[in-house]
Amino acid sequence: MSTKKDKFSSKDKLYMEIALKLAKSRYGHTGSNPSVGCVIVKNDKIISIGQTSFNGRPHAESNAIKNSTENLNGSIMYVTLEPCCHHGMTPPCTDLIIKSKISEVIYSVQDIDVRVKNKSFKILKSKKIKVKKGLLVNKVKNFYSTYFFNRKKKLPYVTGKIAVSKNNLIYSKLDKKITNIKADKFTHLLRYKSDSLMISYKTLNNDNPKLNCRLKGLKKYSPKRIILDNKLNTNIKSFIINSANKSNTFIFYNKANKSQILKFKKKGINLISSKIDNKGRFDIKILLKKLYKLNCRNLLIEGGDELTKYLLRNKIFNRFFLYESNKKLSKRSNYLNFNSLNLLRRKYKKKINLKLNLGKNKITLYKN
C-alpha cells in the first residue's frame, strides 16, 4: 500500500535537489522576488533547467521553458516554489506551463504570497495537469525561511557579523587585521549572498573599508552600501564615497547643512532623512521598513560594538556570525573592546559552531 511518504521516487528527489541547488546559487540576487530553481524532465532525462533571473525577472519556470530545445509535451516540471499565477511585470508562469503542454508539475513549497497561495495548484489541475507538492518540503522550507520572513514582516532579513581578537578587541589602530584569509573569504561569501551591507560612519571613518565582494569573478555582485550618519560626518574622501553611484550607496542622516548635503549629492549618494531618538540614534525599525521599500531583502550589518549592542538589545538580528581569532591585537594606541559578547550569548537560543577549514580562526553562528 502506498503512503504519502513514498509518493515520490528517488529520481523525483534527485531532480528537486538539482532545482534547489539552482535556487541556492542565485540567493540574494533576485531583488524582491524569491530565488527559485526549476528542472524539466522528459523520458527520465533532464531536457532543461532554469532559475530566477538576476533582479527577479524572468522567473525560473519561464527561463526553463525558454531554455528547452525539445518539445515539452508530456514532460514533468520540478520547481522549488509554487509557480506564480498572477499578472505582474511578467505573464503568469501557469500560463506558460499550460501553453507548453507540460503534463505534470511537482513543486516543493506552497507560496505564501496571497496572489499565488494554492491558486496555481487549482489552475493547473483544472487544465488536466497532474500536480504534486511537498517534495523535500522541510529542506526547501528552510531555504525559503528568509523569503517567508520578508513577506510576513515586510522587512529585510538581517544578518550580523563581527570579528574579535583573542584579547577581545574589534579594532586596534596599530594592528587592524583580526582574521586570516580563510575567514575573510567567508565574509566575502556573506557579502555575495546579501543585497545590502550596513555600517556606521564611525566604522567607515576608522577603517575606510571597500564593503565589496572580492571573491574571484563575483565583484560585480557586491551589495549596496548603507551608511548610518545622523550629521553627515562621513569622510568625503573615503573609498565608499568616491566609488558611489545612484544605485549602490545610501546614507541615512538626520540633520546637516545645505552645503554638506550638496557635497554628498554631487558624489552620487542617495541621502535619506530619518528620525533619531534623544540619544542621537536612528529608529532602526523605521530604517528597515524604508530599506524594504528600496527592495532590500537580505541585509548584512558589519557594525562596531555600539551599533551591535543597540541592535542586539532591540532584537534586530535574525542571525549573527561571531568570528574569533587566535591573534592578540595591540593596545598601545587607540583600540576598541567588544563589550557585547555576553549580551550576544544571552540573546540567542541556538549556537552552531561552523565546521569550516579556517585554521586557528573559528566562526560561530547564533540563531533563535
Side-chain angles (χ1 to χ4, degrees):
M1 182 183 286
S2 66
T3 65
K4 282 187 177 181
K5 284 186 180 179
D6 61 16
K7 69 179 177 179
F8 298 115
S9 69
S10 57
K11 283 187 177 179
D12 288 331
K13 291 173 185 175
L14 172 64
Y15 298 137
M16 189 59 81
E17 286 277 9
I18 295 169
L20 180 56
K21 284 180 179 177
L22 287 166
K24 285 181 175 179
S25 71
R26 197 53 62 86
Y27 176 85
H29 297 280
T30 56
S32 58
N33 288 335
S35 181
V36 175
C38 182
V39 173
I40 302 177
V41 174
K42 189 172 182 179
N43 300 322
D44 281 335
K45 174 187 158 190
I46 294 175
I47 59 171
S48 189
I49 61 172
Q51 57 195 147
T52 308
S53 299
F54 288 105
N55 298 318
R57 299 176 188 87
H59 295 176
E61 302 92 322
S62 172
N63 286 330
I65 288 168
K66 288 174 184 173
N67 289 341
S68 178
T69 56
E70 296 190 34
N71 189 321
L72 298 179
N73 192 354
S75 63
I76 304 173
M77 174 181 279
Y78 295 82
V79 61
T80 51
L81 190 68
E82 183 178 5
C84 74
C85 58
H86 61 283
H87 286 270
M89 293 181 75
T90 56
C93 289
T94 48
D95 284 3
L96 296 173
I97 292 167
I98 293 162
K99 189 177 178 182
S100 67
K101 300 192 182 301
I102 289 169
S103 66
E104 184 174 355
V105 174
I106 299 175
Y107 65 86
S108 180
V109 175
Q110 181 176 276
D111 200 341
I112 63 167
D113 188 329
V114 293
R115 298 170 298 175
V116 179
K117 189 177 181 180
N118 212 36
K119 292 175 184 174
S120 298
F121 184 92
K122 292 174 183 175
I123 290 168
L124 295 172
K125 290 280 276 188
S126 72
K127 297 298 180 179
K128 310 300 181 190
I129 294 172
K130 192 175 179 181
V131 187
K132 292 181 188 175
K133 57 184 176 179
L135 176 56
L136 298 184
V137 63
N138 291 332
K139 203 170 190 178
V140 179
K141 257 188 179 178
N142 183 57
F143 170 68
Y144 284 117
S145 60
T146 56
Y147 165 64
F148 293 155
F149 177 87
N150 292 153
R151 285 285 182 188
K152 286 175 184 176
K153 303 289 186 181
K154 305 296 181 192
L155 294 170
Y157 185 88
V158 182
T159 299
K161 171 253 165 186
I162 203 163
V164 185
S165 70
K166 192 173 182 179
N167 54 340
N168 200 44
L169 300 191
I170 58 171
Y171 171 79
S172 170
K173 187 176 181 180
L174 297 178
D175 193 3
K176 292 186 178 182
K177 189 70 179 164
I178 298 176
T179 51
N180 62 21
I181 292 172
K182 291 180 179 180
D184 290 348
K185 284 184 178 179
F186 187 81
T187 294
H188 291 293
L189 180 64
L190 285 179
R191 290 178 179 180
Y192 168 69
K193 293 293 184 182
S194 303
D195 52 42
S196 331
L197 199 169
M198 179 186 285
I199 63 168
S200 71
Y201 80 93
K202 290 179 182 177
T203 297
L204 188 149
N205 288 348
N206 274 338
D207 298 344
N208 192 23
K210 293 184 177 178
L211 304 185
N212 57 3
C213 171
R214 295 194 285 279
L215 296 176
K216 190 175 180 181
L218 300 179
K219 189 175 179 181
K220 65 179 179 179
Y221 303 115
S222 295
K224 295 188 284 286
R225 295 90 61 95
I226 316 294
I227 315 300
L228 304 182
D229 183 3
N230 61 2
K231 294 181 180 177
L232 288 187
N233 288 322
T234 297
N235 182 355
I236 201 82
K237 295 179 180 178
S238 64
F239 175 86
I240 295 299
I241 302 305
N242 285 306
S243 59
N245 60 54
K246 282 288 183 184
S247 63
N248 77 352
T249 308
F250 300 78
I251 295 182
F252 284 96
Y253 78 104
N254 178 250
K255 282 185 179 179
N257 61 49
K258 287 183 180 179
S259 64
Q260 278 178 298
I261 291 170
L262 189 59
K263 277 181 191 177
F264 283 97
K265 284 189 173 179
K266 279 183 177 179
K267 290 283 188 178
I269 308 293
N270 285 281
L271 294 178
I272 304 171
S273 178
S274 199
K275 292 178 182 178
I276 56 173
D277 63 19
N278 57 8
K279 292 184 179 179
R281 295 176 304 205
F282 289 104
D283 185 326
I284 192 66
K285 290 178 181 176
I286 291 175
L287 261 60
L288 292 177
K289 286 177 183 177
K290 289 182 178 182
L291 287 172
Y292 185 84
K293 288 178 181 177
L294 291 168
N295 283 337
C296 170
R297 296 294 181 268
N298 296 284
L299 174 65
L300 176 62
I301 301 181
E302 297 184 13
D305 183 64
E306 191 178 322
L307 179 59
T308 299
K309 186 189 298 180
Y310 173 63
L311 298 178
L312 283 170
R313 284 179 174 164
N314 285 275
K315 299 180 179 178
I316 297 301
F317 296 116
N318 297 97
R319 60 178 183 171
F320 195 96
F321 291 95
L322 175 67
Y323 292 52
E324 293 175 272
S325 170
N326 70 321
K327 180 181 177 180
K328 286 186 177 182
L329 298 188
S330 172
K331 289 187 175 183
R332 286 177 293 156
S333 186
N334 291 344
Y335 64 90
L336 293 171
N337 283 304
F338 183 48
N339 298 311
S340 307
L341 186 57
N342 289 332
L343 179 63
L344 171 64
R345 288 169 175 162
R346 286 199 309 270
K347 286 288 181 182
Y348 292 93
K349 295 172 185 175
K350 274 187 191 175
K351 175 184 172 183
I352 304 163
N353 291 319
L354 301 186
K355 294 179 180 178
L356 301 169
N357 180 21
L358 300 174
K360 293 180 179 179
N361 288 189
K362 75 171 184 174
I363 299 176
T364 306
L365 169 61
Y366 290 86
K367 289 180 77 176
N368 284 322

